[in-house]
Structures are given as structure tokens and as C-alpha cells.
Amino acid sequence: MKITDVRPWIVTGPPTEPGLPGHAGERLHYVFVQVDTDEGLTGWGEITTYPGLVANRAIAAMLREVRPVLIGHDPARIEAIWHKLFRLFTYMGTRGATTAMISGIDIALWDLRGQALGQPIYELLGGPLRETVPLYVHFAYSDTPEEMARHARGQVDLGARAIKTDPFLAAGRASGALDNTTYVGGGLDPATEQTGVEMIAAVREAVGPQVEILIDAHGLYNVPTAVRLANRLAPYNITWFEEPVPPESYHALRQAREQIPVPMCVGERLHTRFEFVPIFEGRLADFIMPDVTWTGGITELKKIANMAEAYYIPITPHDASGPINILAGAHVSLTVPNFYRLEARRVQFDFYNAFLDEPLVVHDGALHVPRRPGLGLSLNLDYLRAHEVKPG
Ligand SMILES: [Mg+2]
């Protein structure tokens, strides 16, 4: 079999649920990768990255440029293609945009391999260790502790057993007093901090003691602020405090780690197994959360998970995008012993199903991975054609 074409699709998604972080009511853009072959099989991957169209158009352009490098290759040579693309960009930088681009292609190649062999991807990765993939989900951001609690309760009533939010981002947006959506100084004003703490107190009260509450700090804080915020939320039984500081400094992460009294999770902004080595060796996290569409695809997620296993650290794949991200992460999640939960936007996959030929199935807060070959689901070409965004 030979690769005959590689094509990026930038696609406008359905309107988001009001209150989704950062883009309430907007229509987000997604990047999918179509890899065609001379035997009529098509594999699908996803990259979808941020910020919005700027990053998605940049990554789509990169895909168009590597198309000639891939045409004519045997798509079954997944490892060889991964290394060829990775080393191709040694001088431009092998992490970040490069690994995101590789991820989209790698996932499509695994989809093709599964289809060619008539097996789901998880069977090619060693077979399943569990029947379903437990999820953790977000709930809509809102302005008050009462509304936050109501939205959290809504996801629990739909079957969620673990929920995640960023109360300080919600509180900061509500007050308008502080633009704490990007890191500059890394501080937080006292009023916003207090509202954020009250939001989590209300959420814990609403969901009861059994539901796991995860806090995402989005890498927005300096060390003393992150330490203070984590300490203030600790009384509410927090499962983890995520990305306390920006990703560039392992030293700052260590300082935070030594003073934060709850478990920590990092990794959505780390790329490849190489960037996780300091996390494992430095004991800098209790959970790691590589993103299958950014860190290097199914190939890389499996390797990172195996490395983490040797340190008894659970993986919990990150998801900030769409249906292929969820499916690719789920296939790996089925096959590794050291798995916690897979991230998803909501218990119900309305955002993703618009793109798919069949809906994703979730029961009791866990995803049922399709048993068909490859990823198990295909993208709906009619939807893609109708909502494609042309290059800028
Ligand atoms: Mg996060």
C-alpha cells in the first residue's frame, strides 16, 4: 500500500454550549488530517490547536508542505514515518508545531493500519485491559458560585464521576477586574481569588463527597500565587491541581511541587517522551496528561504511558479539541495499566458527534470504544465539505 495524498481540513464546528471556557456560543475551528492510499483506504487524524484560526491555519500550511515527503510511502511504516518527520525539522524545532503535525499524520496511519488488518487500534497496541474508558468532564463556566454549582451538578446527574474546572479563570472573567487569561506577572487579585474559592466550596457542596473535583490552573500563576491558591482549595478534597505554573520552567514547577499540599498534574503542553523525562526523574507530578494530538500521536502517547508506568504514575490523556482526539486517546487508554481517566468536554458528546458518521457512546461517565477496525468511526465528509474554512 502507498500513500497517495495528505490533506488538511480546517472545519467550523457546531455552536458551543454557552459558558464553555473562552468561547461561549462561538463556533470553534478544528483541524483534521485525511491520508489517502492507492488501495482505497482513508485514514483520519486530528491536530486542532490554539489559538483558533491563527494556529490552525499555520498547522494546516505545515501539513500541505510535508505532503510531498509522505506521498509514495508505505503507511504501515508508522515508526519510520514518525522519525522521518521528527528529524526533518531538527533545525526549526522538533517539539510543538512539529509534534502536533506528526500527531495528526500518526493517528491517521494507525487508523489505516487497523483498517488494513481488520482490527481496532487497541488490538494492535496489546489488547484492552478494560472494557470502557472512564472520563472526566468540564462543566459550563459562570459568574457566581451558585451557577457554577448548578452546572457541576448537571454533569454529575448525567453520569459524571469526576469534574474539572478553573474557578479563578471563571471568577476573573466574571469580575472583569483582571485579565487572567494569559500569563504576564502571574498574580491574582484578592477579590477574584476569594470568589474562585467560594465557587469550589459551592461545587463540593452540590456534588457531595464522592465526586472527584479537579482544578486546572492553566499555567497562569507565579510560584507563590500557585502555592497559595492550591492551599486555599485543599480543604475541598481536590484530586489534582493542574499546571500551577507556565510550562517553560521545571525549576518553578519543583518549587510549586514542594509547597503544594494536593496531587499535581502536568503535561498538556509537553511534547514527546523526551520532555516527560524531567517530570518522572524529578518527581514533579502525580498524574501526567499528554495530548495525543500534540505530543506525537498514538505512537508517542503509548511510549509516554509506558515510561510513566515504570514510575507508577497514571496517565490521563488531555483533550481540548474534537472527536479524533477523543478516539485516539481512548484506544491507547484501553491498553495501558497506568490509566486514570480520559478528559472530555462534557458527559454527552454533542460537540463531537456532528463530525462523525455514528455517535460516540457514553454510559455512566465512561466511553465505549467502537469495536470496528481502525479508530472505529469515520468523519462525515458531507459535514466537512459544508463547513470547511479555506486557507487564509
Ligand atoms: Mg489543562
Side-chain angles (χ1 to χ4, degrees):
M1 196 186 302
K2 296 273 188 282
I3 295 172
T4 54
D5 201 4
V6 177
R7 183 206 199 283
W9 290 81
I10 304 176
V11 181
T12 304
T16 55
E17 179 178 318
L20 197 70
H23 25 63
E26 289 179 22
R27 304 188 67 163
L28 302 183
H29 298 101
Y30 299 75
V31 177
F32 300 111
V33 185
Q34 177 180 355
V35 178
D36 292 326
T37 64
D38 61 355
E39 294 190 14
L41 295 179
T42 292
W44 287 100
E46 182 180 351
I47 295 173
T48 307
T49 188
Y50 296 94
L53 266 184
V54 174
N56 285 328
R57 278 190 165 135
I59 203 76
M62 207 168 163
L63 271 165
R64 282 190 291 274
E65 294 302 322
V66 298
R67 175 179 174 275
V69 176
L70 294 166
I71 287 177
H73 273 280
D74 178 353
R77 299 290 173 258
I78 300 173
E79 189 77 26
I81 291 172
W82 196 102
H83 283 273
K84 180 171 185 145
L85 292 173
F86 189 65
R87 296 302 171 194
L88 188 65
F89 291 98
T90 288
Y91 288 97
M92 198 180 88
T94 49
R95 268 61 74 77
T98 298
T99 51
M101 183 218 31
I102 293 171
S103 300
I105 294 164
D106 180 89
I107 294 166
L109 296 182
W110 278 103
D111 187 23
L112 280 168
R113 192 70 183 136
Q115 292 179 51
L117 296 174
Q119 295 287 332
I121 292 169
Y122 62 77
E123 292 290 358
L124 310 182
L125 297 174
L129 279 157
R130 51 190 63 83
E131 290 297 311
T132 61
V133 179
L135 305 172
Y136 76 79
V137 302
H138 296 254
F139 51 91
Y141 283 28
S142 46
D143 294 352
T144 65
E146 295 73 25
E147 279 293 288
M148 289 284 274
R150 190 172 67 79
H151 288 148
R153 184 71 226 179
Q155 291 298 300
V156 171
D157 289 344
L158 290 171
R161 298 291 173 265
I163 52 176
K164 189 168 92 176
T165 192
D166 183 340
F168 305 109
L169 203 57
R173 287 205 165 107
S175 69
L178 179 76
D179 178 14
N180 65 325
T181 60
T182 56
Y183 185 95
V184 181
L188 189 65
D189 73 280
T192 302
E193 178 176 325
Q194 180 60 30
T195 303
V197 172
E198 289 169 6
M199 285 175 168
I200 295 307
V203 167
R204 173 53 80 199
E205 177 74 22
V207 303
Q210 304 296 330
V211 173
E212 295 171 46
I213 299 178
L214 291 54
I215 302 297
D216 193 347
H218 284 110
L220 288 171
Y221 301 109
N222 57 37
V223 172
T225 304
V227 169
R228 193 179 67 250
L229 297 180
N231 272 283
R232 292 202 65 186
L233 296 184
Y236 304 104
N237 188 17
I238 302 307
T239 297
W240 77 46
F241 194 77
E242 174 181 328
E243 287 197 304
V245 294
E248 292 81 15
S249 173
Y250 289 112
H251 190 274
L253 189 61
R254 172 176 298 287
Q255 284 184 281
R257 173 74 162 160
E258 289 170 349
Q259 301 175 76
I260 283 178
V262 296
M264 278 173 35
C265 180
V266 297
E268 71 183 71
R269 290 169 231 237
L270 299 178
H271 310 94
T272 75
R273 56 206 179 278
F274 304 108
E275 291 191 347
F276 281 91
V277 169
I279 302 295
F280 301 140
E281 290 291 284
R283 308 176 192 179
L284 298 180
D286 299 280
F287 299 83
I288 59 159
M289 52 180 320
D291 189 308
V292 69
T293 62
W294 296 339
T295 201
I298 287 172
T299 301
E300 199 65 14
L301 182 60
K302 177 80 174 180
K303 289 179 182 177
I304 294 167
N306 291 159
M307 288 169 66
E309 183 192 352
Y311 293 84
Y312 299 121
I313 292 175
I315 68 154
T316 174
H318 174 259
D319 165 52
S321 54
I324 304 290
N325 181 315
I326 280 285
L327 275 171
H331 277 276
V332 177
S333 298
L334 280 178
T335 70
V336 296
N338 52 320
F339 169 69
Y340 165 62
R341 291 175 181 275
L342 178 69
E343 181 174 14
R345 287 189 198 169
R346 297 288 189 274
V347 173
Q348 293 174 330
F349 282 108
D350 301 342
F351 296 120
Y352 307 125
N353 287 337
F355 301 106
L356 296 168
D357 58 352
E358 290 187 43
L360 294 161
V361 177
V362 177
H363 291 302
D364 294 328
L367 175 66
H368 291 240
V369 179
R371 298 181 185 278
R372 288 183 293 277
L375 287 167
L377 288 172
S378 193
L379 291 186
N380 178 345
L381 269 173
D382 290 338
Y383 185 92
L384 265 55
R385 288 193 192 100
H387 297 90
E388 184 176 20
V389 179
K390 298 297 180 189

